[in-house]
Amino acid sequence: MSFFRRPDYTSEATQFIEQLKADKPTLEAEQRAGRALLWDKNLNRADQADYLDGKVPQQGYVYGTTAHPNSQ
């Protein structure tokens, strides 16, 4: 047993989260659904390759007076 261990201690934040989960049991499922809506997406590899192919390299000093590399 550790000298610094406080027996059966839970912080106020942990107590709040546990109480919130007890009051609303569907909370975690709703969080997962929200994450899936915004973040968990399947990437289209062809579109991603087209995007990367279309990038133009940036000059060292972006405010320079030289013309754009694709203009003539």
Side-chain angles (χ1 to χ4, degrees):
M1 180 177 207
S2 174
F3 178 72
F4 297 104
R5 182 179 181 279
R6 295 174 70 181
D8 303 323
Y9 171 77
T10 55
S11 68
E12 290 181 17
T14 303
Q15 291 173 3
F16 171 76
I17 292 171
E18 288 175 353
Q19 183 65 40
L20 186 63
K21 287 181 181 180
D23 291 345
K24 191 171 184 180
T26 61
L27 181 66
E28 288 187 45
E30 291 174 9
Q31 288 176 328
R32 291 180 198 279
R35 176 186 167 145
L37 181 66
L38 297 175
W39 294 102
D40 297 337
K41 301 284 184 186
N42 292 326
L43 294 177
N44 184 342
R45 300 293 182 188
D47 288 345
Q48 187 177 16
D50 288 344
Y51 171 76
L52 293 175
D53 289 341
K55 288 184 99 174
V56 177
Q58 185 175 354
Q59 297 176 352
Y61 183 69
V62 296
Y63 299 109
T65 57
T66 59
H68 190 274
N70 291 338
S71 66
Q72 293 180 358

